[in-house]
Amino acid sequence: MKTKPKQKKRLWLPFAIAAGVIVLLLVLAPIVVPAVGKWFTSQETAVRDGWAVDLGDLIGVDETQQVEIRHAPVESSITVLQLVPTDIEDEGFTYYDTAVQQRIRAMLDRGQQISGRQVEWTAETPMAFLDPFGTGANGLYLYFETDFPTQVEYTVRVDDERIPDYSAVAADSSGKEYSTTHEFQLIGLVPGEVNEVTMKLRGSWGNVRQTVRFTIEMPETHSGYDTILNVTDGPSTEPLDEGLFTMMRTNGYLGYGFLYDNSGVMRYEMVLEGFGMDRILFYGDEIVTCVSSNKLARINGLGEVEQVYPLGDYELHHDIDYGRDGTVVALAEKAGDTNVEDLVLEIDLDTGAVTELLDFKDLMAGYYAQTRPIRATDPFFWQVDEQDWIHLNTIQYLPDTDSLVVSSRETSTAIKVENVHGEADIGWLCGDPAFWQGTGYEDYCLTPVNDFTWQYGQHSVAWAPGDEEGVGYLRMFNNNYWALSSRDGYDPDLPDGVGTDLYGGEGDHSYTYVYRIDENAGTVELVESFPVPYSSIVSNSTLNEDTGHWAVNSGIAMVFGEYDASGALIRQYAYECTMQGYRTFKYDYKGFWFQ
């Protein structure tokens, strides 16, 4: 009986399959990598496609203002109402529309006018609305009247040992310290918890005229974000500064701003149209901030949008600052342009006029000509085909000299621009002079005093004048990360300790840096430095000049913290996001929400 010969094992088959997969990946890489990169960055320009929230029972509809009046979907010992525009589910609806805001304001004004006739709005029975203007998910609007001028102190208590009491003195919308009519937004209610609120109405002589208590079970966050962060105390025992840590542009949760107290408890969830805030500018008793990738807004302490500033064909990125004479300066780019992150806009807060103040392609045309678009093999491959040749990420206007200080991540250089409303020109470049050798910009470089390691990939650059004319201090988050995606022919000799890995390795650090710059002598000296968690991109170090404390966000590490004047950590907070959280500033919100 014949048997069949054994077939030889196809040992080559797995290798052939692997080789085929590799070839396929190489073929698809030029297509897949750009597509993934564009998908990731496109999140920043996306606009919210839905504003609808949980609704309570319908009470009635105001046909004139096209606003529904509902019971708010909360359990409370006081009556809490809800105002819902009837067009909230229409395509293109946004709360960042002054026409919508005016309709809501008309409803609140009408409610105030009935006081004393159909109903008494007192501290025990206030007119209360949950987030009437649609901009702060857990803000509670209150209106009531008192017989004597008082101010409102309040404490929020939650039956959870992880959540301490939160106390504040409310800033009234009238701007008065003591008043007989009280209209304010109560800040500090914890989402998803039963909050007990104690209000003390205190007279100008310090006496408490009335104490009122009520409870309210707040809805969960709109975003689904954590209400309690993981907290780690550092070696410093100094008390934390007053204020709320304000998280901006948290990837995976764009379109929201999260505000946390010193215990890591969320006290406010700001709802935006998209993008992220970048920075909050306090403008009298209002704020100005980014509310989408091509829109700024001016908002009062009630959460009411007073004015909206559309930017037309421009898109925001990274930063805004006060400009001259009631304007704001903003970093921007032309929508759809392959040249990105290289323009400065000026927005008039009165008229809304938008002016292109500076185009760095013109200002630094000689260097721009030496750059190229990003390739799929470059460190910032997700921007493939874009010419991100300078990547401006911070802006500060200096009114005394009509100058700008900007931070260029791509060149690892801080740049001063002089005479920005005239014949603008470079004042100085603060960065490794070796980078600029042979570019034609060598003579602008500041000369280092003593030995130090230059900053690389820096963010949140801020200039503060010194005691001598022409001398100042430049503060920054030194990412300590080297990458170059827009220029060939430069290979730096990096000092030990400078990172080249996006996510870093064991022992890698970023730093808070403070330089002393002598513009008269053209020199720069590193006078202060302390290590912080490593973050190759994004991030900020921001000084509270009153206390000497630093608020520091390391975005890739997904932590922020407060450090004392010596650079010792007081407390650190860990958060979750997709890849990175852009910035965390600490603001006291005095004159806006609090007295």
Side-chain angles (χ1 to χ4, degrees):
M1 182 176 179
K2 291 183 178 180
T3 58
K4 292 182 180 179
K6 291 182 178 180
Q7 294 182 344
K8 292 182 179 180
K9 291 183 178 179
R10 297 180 179 178
L11 299 177
W12 52 269
L13 187 58
F15 297 101
I17 293 173
V21 170
I22 291 171
V23 170
L24 182 61
L25 289 174
L26 290 173
V27 171
L28 293 178
I31 300 172
V32 174
V33 169
V36 172
K38 297 300 182 187
W39 169 82
F40 186 79
T41 56
S42 67
Q43 299 174 79
E44 295 192 344
T45 59
V47 175
R48 184 180 298 279
D49 59 5
W51 291 88
V53 296
D54 291 341
L55 300 178
D57 294 335
L58 181 66
I59 298 173
V61 180
D62 186 286
E63 297 295 345
T64 302
Q65 303 301 336
Q66 288 296 288
V67 173
E68 295 177 350
I69 307 170
R70 292 177 173 267
H71 288 289
V74 298
E75 293 291 331
S76 179
S77 61
I78 62 172
T79 300
V80 181
L81 303 176
Q82 190 177 28
L83 296 176
V84 183
T86 57
D87 52 345
I88 193 170
E89 295 189 12
D90 289 359
E91 185 175 357
F93 174 88
T94 175
Y95 275 107
Y96 289 92
D97 178 339
T98 52
V100 172
Q101 296 286 310
Q102 288 163 7
R103 288 157 51 195
I104 296 167
R105 168 43 69 186
M107 297 292 292
L108 295 176
D109 288 346
R110 187 178 306 166
Q112 293 177 20
Q113 291 164 8
I114 69 173
S115 182
R117 291 178 295 175
Q118 301 176 31
V119 66
E120 289 284 345
W121 299 131
T122 68
E124 296 96 337
T125 58
M127 182 170 71
F129 286 95
L130 180 65
D131 182 25
F133 296 105
T135 60
N138 57 324
L140 182 66
Y141 170 96
L142 293 178
Y143 175 86
F144 57 87
E145 298 176 4
T146 54
D147 293 334
F148 300 95
T150 55
Q151 63 178 199
V152 181
E153 299 177 7
Y154 65 86
T155 297
V156 177
R157 176 168 294 172
V158 171
D159 189 16
D160 186 328
E161 62 183 14
R162 299 171 302 166
I163 303 176
D165 293 355
Y166 183 78
S167 298
V169 179
D172 194 81
S173 66
S174 66
K176 297 178 181 179
E177 187 176 0
Y178 299 90
S179 179
T180 57
T181 60
H182 302 271
E183 183 187 37
F184 61 94
Q185 185 176 196
L186 195 150
I187 302 299
L189 299 169
V190 183
E193 299 284 349
V194 176
N195 294 257
E196 180 186 51
V197 179
T198 301
M199 295 194 302
K200 292 184 178 181
L201 279 60
R202 192 179 296 275
S204 58
W205 288 9
N207 55 319
V208 175
R209 289 189 169 274
Q210 189 177 7
T211 299
V212 176
R213 292 181 177 86
F214 66 88
T215 59
I216 179 170
E217 184 174 3
M218 294 297 290
E220 300 288 346
T221 60
H222 287 194
S223 61
Y225 203 66
D226 293 333
T227 56
I228 304 177
L229 302 180
N230 291 323
V231 175
T232 303
D233 286 329
S236 176
T237 58
E238 287 196 17
L240 293 158
D241 291 344
E242 292 183 15
L244 294 171
F245 292 102
T246 304
M247 295 173 58
M248 301 181 173
R249 209 147 33 105
T250 307
N251 266 24
Y253 299 90
L254 297 180
Y256 295 96
F258 304 124
L259 280 66
Y260 287 86
D261 67 15
N262 284 337
S263 298
V265 178
M266 185 188 290
R267 297 297 178 175
Y268 196 67
E269 181 184 42
M270 189 170 181
V271 184
L272 310 169
E273 193 175 275
F275 193 56
M277 291 184 284
D278 278 350
R279 185 187 297 269
I280 288 176
L281 302 178
F282 291 86
Y283 189 70
D285 58 358
E286 300 170 338
I287 62 171
V288 176
T289 193
C290 314
V291 295
S292 70
S293 64
N294 68 344
K295 192 179 290 184
L296 301 177
R298 184 163 51 84
I299 306 168
N300 68 27
L302 300 174
E304 181 180 5
V305 180
E306 298 277 11
Q307 193 166 351
V308 177
Y309 306 94
L311 302 182
D313 294 334
Y314 296 102
E315 290 181 348
L316 296 159
H317 68 86
H318 292 315
D319 208 8
I320 62 175
D321 189 33
Y322 303 99
R324 69 170 186 179
D325 302 329
T327 66
V328 164
V329 289
L331 296 175
E333 61 192 40
K334 273 280 192 178
D337 198 334
T338 55
N339 293 289
V340 298
E341 314 201 19
D342 58 3
L343 303 178
V344 176
L345 304 181
E346 187 173 63
I347 301 101
D348 189 303
L349 294 179
D350 182 28
T351 67
V354 178
T355 304
E356 190 175 301
L357 184 60
L358 282 179
D359 184 338
F360 272 74
K361 292 185 292 295
D362 297 331
L363 182 68
M364 301 183 68
Y367 180 71
Y368 171 71
Q370 301 171 51
T371 64
R372 59 164 175 78
I374 294 173
R375 300 170 183 149
T377 54
D378 287 321
F380 296 108
F381 60 86
W382 55 83
Q383 291 182 272
V384 66
D385 295 331
E386 294 182 341
Q387 190 133 347
D388 191 9
W389 64 282
I390 193 166
H391 194 102
L392 303 176
N393 61 32
T394 318
I395 186 169
Q396 181 183 5
Y397 179 68
L398 308 178
D400 291 345
T401 56
D402 193 32
S403 302
L404 286 174
V405 173
V406 296
S407 167
S408 164
R409 187 204 68 189
E410 181 67 3
T411 67
S412 292
T413 303
I415 303 170
K416 184 177 184 183
V417 184
E418 298 177 334
N419 196 27
V420 296
H421 289 92
E423 293 295 325
D425 195 12
I426 303 297
W428 44 251
L429 304 175
C430 180
D432 190 346
F435 179 89
W436 297 99
Q437 287 299 314
T439 65
Y441 289 80
E442 304 90 333
D443 293 344
Y444 292 108
C445 292
L446 296 170
T447 301
V449 175
N450 301 323
D451 292 330
F452 59 82
T453 298
W454 288 98
Q455 84 280 357
Y456 293 97
Q458 76 289 324
H459 285 72
S460 74
V461 171
W463 170 268
D467 294 334
E468 307 170 49
E469 186 174 351
V471 175
Y473 294 88
L474 199 65
R475 312 164 186 147
M476 65 183 68
F477 185 97
N478 173 14
N479 295 75
N480 198 37
Y481 168 69
W482 168 256
L484 183 63
S485 299
S486 61
R487 173 180 154 196
D488 297 318
Y490 178 68
D491 187 15
D493 182 15
L494 294 175
D496 292 340
V498 177
T500 56
D501 186 335
L502 192 65
Y503 289 97
E506 186 176 353
D508 284 346
H509 290 285
S510 296
Y511 293 87
T512 293
Y513 261 21
V514 180
Y515 287 122
R516 180 183 185 273
I517 292 178
D518 186 338
E519 296 180 315
N520 307 306
T523 59
V524 55
E525 178 184 6
L526 182 64
V527 294
E528 186 177 345
S529 170
F530 61 87
V532 297
Y534 180 77
S535 183
S536 55
I537 55 175
V538 300
S539 311
N540 68 284
S541 289
T542 308
L543 178 67
N544 181 337
E545 295 185 3
D546 293 331
T547 65
H549 287 190
W550 294 85
V552 178
N553 175 60
S554 295
I556 290 291
M558 302 182 195
V559 294
F560 64 82
E562 186 169 326
Y563 295 74
D564 67 22
S566 68
L569 177 67
I570 304 173
R571 185 169 290 173
Q572 182 170 278
Y573 309 79
Y575 58 88
E576 294 185 2
C577 62
T578 304
M579 185 176 172
Q580 66 192 41
Y582 183 54
R583 282 175 168 171
T584 299
F585 291 112
K586 193 173 193 181
Y587 300 116
D588 62 21
Y589 293 96
K590 289 183 178 178
F592 181 67
W593 284 330
F594 312 123
Q595 287 198 26

